[in-house]
Amino acid sequence: MTELLPLFVNIFLKIFIILTPFFVLSAFLSLTKDESQSDRQKIARKVTLAVVVICFTLFLFGSYIFSLFGITLDAFRIGAGAILFLSAVSMIQGKAAVSAQAGKEDIAVVPLAIPITVGPGTIGALLVMGANYNNLTEKVIASAALLCAVLAVGGLLFVAGRLEKIIGQQGLTILTKLTGLFVSALAAQIFFTGLKNFLSL
């Protein structure tokens, strides 16, 4: 039991950071600036549900996707790490912006769930992480951590209006850039793990 808790915390933190919660929060506030508080909360619930479905599909069936296309895990690590790193650089440079005009109809799934919360880099990271855990116990712990991480991001969106008043737009920008730094470190780890294993074959 003592070994499972660190695994849970480790996976939770990784996925929470990879989901770029503060960039998502900033985009959410921008896209819902004309909505009432109750409408924002409805959209937040839809986003959370959509992200849960998308993330679990990728996380649980990643190994089957690799087998279907004949892609090795290490080759995918290299590609996913590179894409995730580019996403991190965009956040740090402040270029990962979103237009307030996007999605006039239902913005919960597109663009908020995909590609803002679950972008190409996040998809790659989830596929790699899901393929890493073959043991049933580890898979259950990882799934619980994934669910908690997504719910944590959803919780931030649910109280987005209050957070905006507390930390302001400048505070969100700073937190987004800090998140980008952590994401770049995770991306480098994924990339170089794949490269090391690929070269040792």
Side-chain angles (χ1 to χ4, degrees):
M1 187 68 182
T2 54
E3 294 178 359
L4 297 179
L5 183 60
L7 177 65
F8 175 88
V9 173
N10 180 267
I11 297 169
F12 170 82
L13 291 175
K14 279 184 179 178
I15 294 174
F16 183 73
I17 292 298
I18 286 170
L19 290 173
T20 61
F22 299 108
F23 169 65
V24 173
L25 179 61
S26 179
F28 178 84
L29 288 168
S30 175
L31 289 169
T32 61
K33 64 180 182 180
D34 297 324
E35 304 290 344
S36 66
Q37 179 66 16
S38 61
D39 286 339
R40 271 184 169 178
Q41 290 179 345
K42 286 178 184 176
I43 294 170
R45 282 194 286 267
K46 285 184 180 180
V47 173
T48 305
L49 180 60
V51 173
V52 166
V53 172
I54 295 162
C55 285
F56 271 94
T57 301
L58 294 167
F59 189 77
L60 295 175
F61 300 105
S63 57
Y64 300 106
I65 294 171
F66 291 145
S67 299
L68 181 64
F69 291 101
I71 302 170
T72 65
L73 179 58
D74 291 316
F76 203 87
R77 276 194 180 109
I78 294 170
I83 293 172
L84 196 59
F85 185 79
L86 291 174
S87 299
V89 170
S90 295
M91 281 189 286
I92 294 168
Q93 292 180 339
K95 294 179 181 177
V98 62
S99 170
Q101 299 300 315
K104 286 291 185 180
E105 301 301 323
D106 188 357
I107 59 171
V109 177
V110 178
L112 281 171
I114 299 177
I116 291 175
T117 308
V118 186
T122 308
I123 290 170
L126 285 169
L127 286 169
V128 169
M129 291 177 73
N132 273 337
Y133 302 109
N134 296 317
N135 180 284
L136 180 60
T137 303
E138 289 182 346
K139 203 84 169 178
V140 170
I141 295 296
S143 296
L146 172 58
L147 179 62
C148 289
V150 174
L151 292 178
V153 174
L156 286 177
L157 299 184
F158 198 76
V159 296
R162 295 173 193 171
L163 286 174
E164 186 180 27
K165 291 177 183 177
I166 295 170
I167 61 180
Q169 192 58 48
Q170 188 174 4
L172 281 173
T173 301
I174 293 168
L175 288 171
T176 297
K177 291 188 177 186
L178 285 174
T179 302
L181 288 172
F182 283 106
V183 171
S184 66
L186 287 172
Q189 184 179 34
I190 292 170
F191 179 88
F192 286 113
T193 299
L195 187 62
K196 178 186 173 184
N197 293 343
F198 193 78
L199 293 175
S200 64
L201 291 175

